[in-house]
Amino acid sequence: MTDKINIGTLISGGGTNLQAIIDACLENSIDANIVFTGSDNPGVKGLERAQKAGIDTFVVDYSNIVKSCKKNGIKDRDLPEDFNLEEILSKQKLFASGASPEQTAFFLQSRAIAEKQLLDKILSYDMDLLVLAGFMRVLTPYFIDRVNTEPKCYKIMNIHPALLPSFPGTDGYGDTFAYGCKIGGCTVHYIDYGEDTGPIIGQKAFEIKDSDTLDDIKKKGLEKEWELYPQCIQQFAESL
Ligand code: GRF
């Protein structure tokens, strides 16, 4: 039996993956405790699920932060003291080199303002692993470097609704369906500086029948996600 690891979780919505992880922790089928659930979105069902399980919760309202940055502009004093745009630009792989410099800078700066608020909450916990369970925000190198503090030691895990490297982005099942794939799946991977590009930890696949609708694909996929995520967390716990 491995010692239990402490995991933090971030969500944006319904939290069915979070529920699968809560259940696995309660049933002792994984050697993990959830120490917090954070959301970028107030009032979502996933927060209720966490509270019902007695888990600390918090919200960093990304929409409000980005709205206020758009309305008022971003001044130096709004940015985290340890934010260095040149450094983040040199590391980030979210925007191609031809992207508009103003838009890229605005994105990275406004996200860093939100990420600093996340970090202020997260880093007060003793946490071995950060689990993104349906967290629909891209993380920038500013955030990633402050969680992954040991070289080559990944500490942020994500679940993606497609068989990566196919169909990165926000609508994996939609893209799988639109392409007419006969096999769909989900992937758990570590977070690196790109979008859905980090090392793959585990995958599960399912068959798509010609008669399947997008809703059928989402249902089959989520059922696989609920199995896969706890397994990958356990694999991490056993690797420590
Ligand atoms: C899942 O399909 C996950 O792969 C994707 O968003 C969905 C979240 O579902 N990133 P839930 O909030 O865990 O129910």
Side-chain angles (χ1 to χ4, degrees):
M1 168 94 175
T2 313
D3 282 343
K4 291 204 174 195
I5 58 163
N6 284 341
I7 58 178
T9 54
L10 291 179
I11 59 163
S12 294
T16 64
N17 277 289
L18 172 69
Q19 189 66 57
I21 299 165
I22 291 173
D23 293 346
C25 291
L26 291 176
E27 289 158 9
N28 284 320
S29 57
I30 60 173
D31 299 310
N33 287 315
I34 302 179
V35 291
F36 66 78
T37 297
S39 172
D40 64 313
N41 230 345
V44 292
K45 175 97 194 283
L47 286 170
E48 261 177 57
R49 293 178 190 272
Q51 282 153 6
K52 210 169 153 203
I55 298 166
D56 285 0
T57 60
F58 60 83
V59 174
V60 172
D61 189 337
Y62 267 60
S63 292
N64 259 347
I65 293 166
V66 175
K67 217 183 286 164
S68 148
C69 289
K70 279 190 181 144
K71 190 165 162 237
N72 306 318
I74 300 174
K75 301 172 193 68
D76 278 351
R77 66 167 185 271
D78 301 326
L79 292 165
E81 270 178 24
D82 55 353
F83 178 83
N84 178 329
L85 182 60
E86 292 312 311
E87 180 204 339
I88 303 301
L89 281 169
S90 72
K91 289 178 173 171
Q92 70 84 27
K93 296 202 171 114
L94 301 167
F95 296 91
S97 52
S100 142
E102 292 77 21
Q103 279 175 18
T104 303
F106 177 84
F107 183 91
L108 296 170
Q109 289 173 323
S110 58
R111 276 4 176 236
I113 292 170
E115 288 174 348
K116 170 76 170 99
Q117 294 188 25
L118 275 185
L119 288 165
D120 285 346
K121 299 281 184 189
I122 288 174
L123 297 181
S124 68
Y125 289 88
D126 176 17
M127 178 189 75
D128 300 297
L129 176 69
L130 180 62
V131 170
L132 310 182
F135 183 66
M136 303 304 282
R137 300 285 178 174
V138 160
L139 295 168
T140 76
Y142 175 73
F143 180 92
I144 294 168
D145 286 355
R146 279 154 187 80
V147 177
N148 289 341
T149 47
E150 289 161 50
K152 293 191 182 149
C153 184
Y154 293 102
K155 278 178 68 178
I156 313 174
M157 236 182 228
N158 182 45
I159 189 147
H160 181 75
L163 289 172
L164 291 172
S166 295
F167 309 127
T170 52
D171 191 18
Y173 293 136
D175 294 339
T176 301
F177 177 66
Y179 202 87
C181 295
K182 304 300 174 201
I183 300 282
C186 54
T187 304
V188 171
H189 64 97
Y190 288 116
I191 290 289
D192 68 2
Y193 296 147
E195 188 176 5
D196 302 323
T197 52
I200 290 176
I201 304 159
Q203 293 184 305
K204 278 191 189 281
F206 56 86
E207 202 174 321
I208 300 173
K209 299 202 184 99
D210 290 344
S211 57
D212 279 348
T213 62
L214 176 56
D215 280 347
D216 295 325
I217 290 175
K218 285 186 177 163
K219 186 165 177 289
K220 287 182 188 182
L222 272 172
E223 280 169 11
K224 293 291 179 195
E225 292 184 33
W226 304 332
E227 292 169 14
L228 180 65
Y229 223 164
Q231 287 172 7
C232 292
I233 293 168
Q234 181 60 12
Q235 193 178 313
F236 179 92
E238 286 174 9
S239 74
L240 291 184

